[in-house]
Amino acid sequence: MWLVILFQVISPLQLQAEEGIYHVCDAKSGLNESFESYSEAYRFYVENTEAYDELVLKENDRVIMMEYGIVEFITDSACSLYHEYRSLSRNETDYINGCYGIDAAYIDTSADGEKVTFMISGDKGSIDIDHVILHPLSEVDTRISSYSVEGGKLFHNIKQQLDIDFYSDSLYLGKKVSGMKEGGIYYSADGHYFYDDLTVMIDDLRNETRENALNDSPYYNYYQYLPYRSYTNHTAEETESYFYETLGITGRLDHYSDKNLDDAADTISRSQLYGQIPQFFVCQDLYGTNALMLLASAVRESAYGRSSDSYAANSLFSLNAYETDEERQKQCYDSIEDSIYTHARYFISDRSANHLRSDYHGTYFGNKSSGLNINYSIDPYYGERSASAVLKLDEKLGSKDLNAYALGIIIGKDRVSFYEDQELENRMFSLRNVHELSLIVLQETEEAYQVRIDESFSEEGFYDPDRSSAYISRENVDLILNEEKIGDESFVYRHYDLDGGNYHGLYELDTVMKKEDLFLPAVGKDRYEFEGFDEEGKAIWHEIENIEIKGDLNEKLNEGRVTDLRGANLYVTYKDKENSLLPLNSDMISIGEADEDGIMKVLISYNGFSLERLFYSEYDASFAEVFEKAVKNKDVSFVRDSLSKADYQFDFDEIRQLDEKLKASNQRNYVITDKTERFDLSVSGLDLSLKSGISLPFVGDTWYVIADEISESDEKRILDVAESYGFEKADGLDISFRFNYQNVDLRGPAIVQIDIDDKKSDLIYSVYHLAKNGDVIKCRTTHSNHYVQFMIKEAGPYLVLSMPSVNEYHIEDSIENLSYENMGSDQHKTNLQVLGVLVLSLAGLIGITVYYIIDNKRRQLWKDFRKSLHEAGIVQEEKPKS
């Protein structure tokens, strides 16, 4: 028996050795040759590449070499894999994360099969083959990252997963490139040259040429190559107007909740950017950092100031540059303004603009071969994403900035020298190994261009554009964008006296403005409130006498750092007896370490005043674990009884399954009342999230789901906000709940599903809700072939919205637990009808009884009256007739 087993084990191994583990195949011709060694397979592959179109070399099922294909960067569910590679373009080590861009153009594999050469976002790199997966084009059955043209506009459609056909992002880059056609699909490995055939592009990359590209001259996205050392034409006032009036932002975040699971607070109408717009312009005036670029970066990286980091850590940017050791230690900025200031001064003006640093690559967003993209982000498309954010923000504000500067592009220079004079005699500094560089061109002569350089020449990081200019030889500039815009610009210089206050340790400020504009730095002065400057530029202060807290703070800490601030305000009393009531925000809150009992001290500070006697218990993590376990185990009774205490993020299937189990045991009677007369509503989660009702014994109860038309005022309030994010109305309704005759509300999540007329597969749907407190909330939303499903937490108006998508959504329809087909009868109505019949019957019986009583009484009275008349002799008794 042992011999038989041994033979069975050894035989497959011998067979595998005989067949070999290396294969060279061609899908088009059907070729499939096996080899015992890699060297034999490699030799055959090299010798036959000209004879076949799609030759592939594999080790078992793993592709080692191929003629044409794409490179997939291996990722994990936590997006924690940062792959090291060698940048061949820049001759330095770099990193990339496939979660931001999963695929790259395949160029080659080293002869030993260990290294793969690829190109992505302008950077040619070499990476260990164990960090990637190679996909021959013949085996790629989903769309890959590409460019498209829609309505004359160029979009970059990016993949983050190759196993599904959906694009994860579609970046609007501006007008289409010459040679592109409407609806066409195009490919580019650098964002400069475009192809309609991927194999042609790969051949050009291998031959280090672009002669077969659609465009003869390279395309440069303006905002991707505009240096931070530029100035926006928009004003602080009009930018604030857009954020507050158009986007509908009404205040700072007062709590963080992400039921929608999109890494941003669900409350659309609140943002950490509220009240902070002037600070972006302050940084432009002081540190030479374009306010629109800085703001657009914050918008993109903090999800319009609604990310968890923006609330819990006061951070608007993904890269933190702290000013103090205290902030660095607690990984949290003292204020939102600190985040803006440190990013502008320390990261951009001090570090990224310092040409003496070995990692200097320019102050424009760029790509993986030049610009901030290299040092700032492992996202290969950070530059494109940021440029797209600026472009869209500029368009929303009136398109005043696009192509406002002439840009000089330097490509592939061993050395570029900068001079103080146009004769190019007094050299200021030189840059070596310049792969790519973009500079603003101010003036030109026959021999040189005057350009604005990034260096600030200031220990404090202040930037003077008139001082920071130099000359370079015309022969060093390979391309001029917007050549007609070459010309110097003038500035307004102003001095400000802070009158005892300070701005990050400075007591007076000198600004350089593009034009006279609002200047409101976040200056501080203990026991005073800053109100602005007088005509001479001197600070105006309002003296504070005392502060108090009005209202109660929630005891549950949010994100472990910032508590729920809803319902609490800061009451400020001034020396002149005036007062103001200010909503608490994350700038005012500082939370200490928890003691052994889990008690944490919260310090509330405002302009030198502080309150320290407020203590809040840390969120009960043990309960959260128990609740989550109960959900997974479908312990519905515990889940239902604990909904008000839990902070668990239900998914759609969990709600359906838990609710279905409760529905089977509770036997509640539900009725859908659709006043819209569309009859397309279905719901899950009512047994889970509606409280139990109390009624008289033996009387049936009814829970009502009432769908009504959304009011014009509520629709407008939601749509005004939604349209500014690119949505348009698809449908709307007002949802309410009633138990018998009493209005009730949810205590947990429920799912609402509605049919959308003329639902299209190329639209993406979202649902916004107008909450009772006036905030606009983004609901967690999915959609299938015919329906839109969304989670709700309270009654009220809901607006279904849509916008075009580059994806096609074909998703099977789901079935909700309650619909018109399986709802119960209106037992409450029946109860009322029965009660009405009983009341009418009783009233009739009483009426008949009363009638007979009255009639008998009347007869008796008449008899007595006749008898009295007879006894008095007034009338004689009638004799009976014979």
Side-chain angles (χ1 to χ4, degrees):
M1 183 173 66
W2 283 109
L3 289 173
V4 171
I5 295 174
L6 185 62
F7 177 77
Q8 290 177 338
V9 171
I10 292 176
S11 293
L13 295 177
Q14 291 176 335
L15 182 62
Q16 184 183 32
E18 290 174 1
E19 290 184 353
I21 62 173
Y22 296 99
H23 308 271
V24 177
C25 49
D26 176 70
K28 190 173 183 179
S29 66
L31 171 74
N32 191 349
E33 295 288 337
S34 299
F35 301 90
E36 294 185 15
S37 68
Y38 171 77
S39 59
E40 291 177 312
Y42 174 71
R43 187 182 307 112
F44 181 86
Y45 176 88
V46 172
E47 291 174 352
N48 288 275
T49 51
E50 296 296 329
Y52 298 92
D53 295 328
E54 300 177 9
L55 211 57
V56 176
L57 190 160
K58 295 183 178 180
E59 179 184 9
N60 292 326
D61 292 330
R62 185 174 74 149
V63 177
I64 304 296
M65 290 183 181
M66 55 190 178
E67 286 201 76
Y68 299 103
I70 60 171
V71 176
E72 176 188 358
F73 301 103
I74 296 174
T75 61
D76 61 1
S77 58
C79 290
S80 61
L81 296 181
Y82 298 85
H83 299 299
E84 181 181 295
Y85 73 94
R86 187 68 182 174
S87 170
L88 304 178
S89 305
R90 295 176 277 111
N91 193 30
E92 59 189 30
T93 300
D94 205 340
Y95 296 87
I96 197 167
N97 188 319
C99 283
Y100 301 98
I102 194 73
D103 54 334
Y106 171 79
I107 297 178
D108 200 1
T109 304
S110 60
D112 59 5
E114 297 294 327
K115 298 289 184 181
V116 172
T117 304
F118 64 92
M119 193 167 189
I120 187 171
S121 187
D123 196 17
K124 181 187 286 188
S126 175
I127 193 170
D128 192 292
I129 197 169
D130 292 332
H131 294 169
V132 297
I133 301 172
L134 304 185
H135 297 277
L137 290 185
S138 59
E139 298 179 11
V140 176
D141 54 6
T142 63
R143 294 182 292 182
I144 63 175
S145 296
S146 61
Y147 294 80
S148 62
V149 176
E150 302 292 340
K153 297 178 179 179
L154 178 63
F155 293 87
H156 188 184
N157 307 312
I158 299 171
K159 294 291 291 289
Q160 292 178 344
Q161 288 179 275
L162 281 183
D163 55 347
I164 60 175
D165 200 41
F166 294 160
Y167 289 116
S168 62
D169 210 349
S170 183
L171 304 178
Y172 168 42
L173 302 180
K175 292 183 179 179
K176 71 179 182 69
V177 177
S178 177
M180 290 184 172
K181 297 179 180 179
E182 190 74 15
I185 301 299
Y186 303 95
Y187 305 96
S188 177
D190 55 14
H192 299 320
Y193 291 93
F194 298 88
Y195 299 80
D196 54 11
D197 188 323
L198 192 57
T199 60
V200 175
M201 184 187 80
I202 292 173
D203 283 337
D204 268 10
L205 294 178
R206 288 170 175 164
N207 297 325
E208 297 186 350
T209 182
R210 301 294 188 272
E211 63 181 15
N212 295 302
L214 294 175
N215 49 317
D216 295 329
S217 58
Y219 164 78
Y220 278 84
N221 183 332
Y222 177 74
Y223 283 120
Q224 199 173 343
Y225 288 88
L226 176 66
Y228 254 110
R229 297 315 199 183
S230 53
Y231 293 79
T232 180
N233 293 305
H234 301 290
T235 66
E237 289 92 340
E238 65 189 19
T239 308
E240 280 192 304
S241 175
Y242 169 71
F243 273 81
Y244 305 152
E245 297 176 16
T246 305
L247 293 181
I249 295 174
T250 59
R252 290 278 293 270
L253 288 177
D254 56 7
H255 72 291
Y256 185 81
S257 174
D258 182 19
K259 304 295 183 185
N260 197 45
L261 300 180
D262 61 354
D263 297 322
D266 298 326
T267 307
I268 301 294
S269 52
R270 290 181 179 270
S271 167
Q272 294 291 75
L273 293 171
Y274 183 82
Q276 301 297 319
I277 302 300
Q279 302 312 313
F280 294 92
F281 288 83
V282 168
C283 288
Q284 174 178 269
D285 298 339
L286 294 175
Y287 304 106
T289 52
N290 186 301
L292 193 73
M293 294 173 66
L294 196 64
L295 177 56
S297 295
V299 163
R300 190 187 73 80
E301 296 183 43
S302 70
Y304 282 87
R306 295 186 289 111
S307 67
S308 60
D309 269 356
S310 71
Y311 185 61
N314 285 328
S315 177
L316 297 177
F317 303 93
S318 56
L319 183 67
N320 294 322
Y322 298 106
E323 184 179 23
T324 67
D325 291 335
E326 182 182 359
E327 287 182 331
R328 188 176 298 106
Q329 184 176 4
K330 63 183 181 180
Q331 295 290 292
C332 177
Y333 290 103
D334 290 337
S335 67
I336 288 292
E337 186 275 335
D338 277 356
S339 174
I340 302 168
Y341 159 78
T342 56
H343 191 78
R345 177 185 169 179
Y346 293 110
F347 176 70
I348 296 175
S349 193
D350 280 1
R351 174 182 171 175
S352 299
N354 186 353
H355 67 266
L356 296 177
R357 291 180 60 98
S358 61
D359 59 356
Y360 170 77
H361 298 289
T363 61
Y364 51 94
F365 294 130
N367 57 13
K368 285 299 286 182
S369 67
S370 70
L372 299 178
N373 200 152
I374 296 175
N375 296 328
Y376 188 80
S377 178
I378 43 83
D379 174 4
Y381 302 119
Y382 159 81
E384 278 191 0
R385 295 184 205 273
S386 300
S388 178
V390 182
L391 174 62
K392 288 189 287 188
L393 184 55
D394 180 37
E395 286 188 350
K396 295 292 185 181
L397 291 170
S399 299
K400 294 182 179 180
D401 283 359
L402 183 61
N403 297 323
Y405 285 95
L407 303 182
I409 307 297
I410 301 171
I411 305 172
K413 296 294 186 296
D414 293 331
R415 178 175 176 176
V416 179
S417 295
F418 293 79
Y419 299 86
E420 294 181 5
D421 49 58
Q422 59 185 0
E423 290 78 19
L424 309 181
E425 295 179 350
N426 299 310
R427 187 166 59 88
M428 296 173 65
F429 62 93
S430 294
L431 298 176
R432 295 184 179 276
N433 300 320
V434 178
H435 179 69
E436 201 169 52
L437 188 64
S438 175
L439 298 165
I440 294 173
V441 181
L442 303 174
Q443 299 290 344
E444 62 178 329
T445 67
E446 292 184 2
E447 301 294 331
Y449 289 112
Q450 183 188 15
V451 296
R452 183 170 295 157
I453 59 176
D454 291 325
E455 188 66 42
S456 72
F457 301 107
S458 167
E459 293 183 1
E460 293 82 13
F462 295 140
Y463 189 75
D464 183 344
D466 286 333
R467 180 186 179 192
S468 294
S469 66
Y471 292 86
I472 60 174
S473 173
R474 291 179 68 102
E475 65 183 19
N476 280 325
V477 178
D478 298 277
L479 180 68
I480 298 286
L481 305 183
N482 310 316
E483 191 168 2
E484 72 281 2
K485 295 297 177 68
I486 293 178
D488 209 348
E489 57 185 334
S490 59
F491 296 93
V492 177
Y493 290 79
R494 285 208 62 180
H495 177 79
Y496 291 93
D497 178 5
L498 304 187
D499 190 28
N502 78 92
Y503 176 79
H504 298 280
L506 300 172
Y507 298 92
E508 55 184 7
L509 298 172
D510 291 293
T511 63
V512 183
M513 299 181 178
K514 181 70 178 288
K515 55 185 174 182
E516 200 74 35
D517 196 6
L518 176 72
F519 184 72
L520 287 175
V523 296
K525 184 177 180 180
D526 282 354
R527 299 181 175 271
Y528 287 86
E529 196 173 273
F530 177 62
E531 295 192 337
F533 295 99
D534 60 21
E535 293 182 357
E536 284 73 37
K538 189 173 183 179
I540 304 171
W541 300 96
H542 200 178
E543 189 172 2
I544 302 172
E545 186 174 77
N546 190 34
I547 64 170
E548 301 175 60
I549 299 297
K550 298 288 186 181
D552 297 323
L553 290 172
N554 196 315
E555 289 189 355
K556 185 183 76 173
L557 291 179
N558 207 313
E559 293 291 314
R561 298 182 190 174
V562 179
T563 189
D564 190 331
L565 305 177
R566 286 175 291 186
N569 294 281
L570 188 70
Y571 185 73
V572 182
T573 305
Y574 302 95
K575 285 284 188 179
D576 57 10
K577 304 308 177 185
E578 291 185 4
N579 57 69
S580 60
L581 195 65
L582 308 175
L584 286 182
N585 61 54
S586 59
D587 291 356
M588 304 173 185
I589 303 294
S590 177
I591 300 175
E593 296 292 331
D595 62 19
E596 57 185 12
D597 297 322
I599 303 300
M600 307 181 82
K601 183 168 64 175
V602 176
L603 180 67
I604 299 175
S605 304
Y606 184 74
N607 290 342
F609 289 87
S610 61
L611 301 172
E612 298 183 348
R613 297 195 189 96
L614 301 175
F615 296 83
Y616 302 89
S617 58
E618 191 174 13
Y619 180 58
D620 188 355
S622 60
F623 173 79
E625 294 171 359
V626 171
F627 186 83
E628 185 171 353
K629 185 177 180 181
V631 171
K632 291 181 179 179
N633 294 335
K634 297 182 176 57
D635 184 357
V636 289
S637 59
F638 178 84
V639 171
R640 186 177 185 180
D641 294 338
S642 308
L643 276 176
S644 60
K645 303 175 185 177
D647 194 25
Y648 183 83
Q649 301 284 1
F650 286 90
D651 62 36
F652 285 82
D653 286 337
E654 285 175 340
I655 293 176
R656 292 184 184 111
Q657 292 171 10
L658 290 169
D659 187 53
E660 180 64 27
K661 190 170 182 179
L662 274 170
K663 185 179 179 183
S665 60
N666 286 340
Q667 296 299 318
R668 285 185 180 181
N669 187 52
Y670 290 105
V671 170
I672 301 175
T673 303
D674 197 336
K675 297 181 180 180
T676 67
E677 298 184 349
R678 297 176 314 178
F679 307 109
D680 58 5
L681 191 73
S682 58
V683 186
S684 292
L686 298 184
D687 272 278
L688 184 69
S689 299
L690 280 177
K691 292 182 179 180
S692 300
I694 302 175
S695 60
L696 295 174
F698 312 112
V699 178
D701 296 315
T702 303
W703 281 261
Y704 296 91
V705 181
I706 303 170
D708 203 349
E709 299 285 356
I710 187 172
S711 70
E712 291 184 4
S713 59
D714 289 344
E715 178 181 309
K716 185 179 186 304
R717 173 75 175 87
I718 301 173
L719 196 57
D720 283 348
V721 174
E723 285 180 336
S724 62
Y725 291 97
F727 287 103
E728 60 181 33
K729 177 188 174 182
D731 209 335
L733 70 166
D734 197 306
I735 304 173
S736 60
F737 305 94
R738 199 175 75 229
F739 170 66
N740 292 337
Y741 57 85
Q742 180 184 8
N743 290 329
V744 295
D745 210 342
L746 299 173
R747 61 173 180 171
I751 301 170
V752 173
Q753 176 173 270
I754 61 173
D755 189 1
I756 302 296
D757 291 338
D758 194 28
K759 185 177 182 300
K760 298 179 180 178
S761 60
D762 62 347
L763 295 180
I764 188 167
Y765 291 86
S766 187
V767 177
Y768 283 13
H769 165 54
L770 183 60
K772 291 181 174 65
N773 66 353
D775 286 340
V776 177
I777 309 296
K778 185 178 183 180
C779 301
R780 191 172 176 186
T781 309
T782 64
H783 47 96
S784 55
N785 288 335
H786 300 95
Y787 303 101
V788 171
Q789 306 88 13
F790 55 98
M791 284 190 189
I792 67 174
K793 286 295 296 287
E794 66 177 14
Y798 290 83
L799 198 64
V800 184
L801 308 155
S802 67
M803 70 163 54
S805 172
V806 291
N807 297 315
E808 291 278 343
Y809 297 96
H810 299 286
I811 304 170
E812 290 297 320
D813 292 330
S814 59
I815 299 175
E816 305 306 335
N817 296 337
L818 175 66
S819 65
Y820 289 94
E821 286 73 24
N822 64 8
M823 72 178 185
S825 59
D826 195 336
Q827 188 63 48
H828 181 55
K829 182 179 180 180
T830 302
N831 293 341
L832 292 177
Q833 290 172 340
V834 171
L835 181 60
V837 171
L838 290 174
V839 169
L840 289 175
S841 300
L842 181 60
L845 181 62
I846 292 173
I848 293 172
T849 303
V850 170
Y851 172 79
Y852 279 105
I853 292 174
I854 293 174
D855 186 64
N856 288 337
K857 186 68 175 177
R858 181 184 61 79
R859 290 175 181 272
Q860 184 63 43
L861 289 173
W862 177 247
K863 287 180 179 180
D864 292 343
F865 179 66
R866 294 278 299 180
K867 182 178 179 180
S868 62
L869 292 176
H870 177 72
E871 289 176 351
I874 298 174
V875 295
Q876 294 183 354
E877 185 177 357
E878 294 182 1
K879 294 181 179 180
K881 296 180 180 180
S882 60

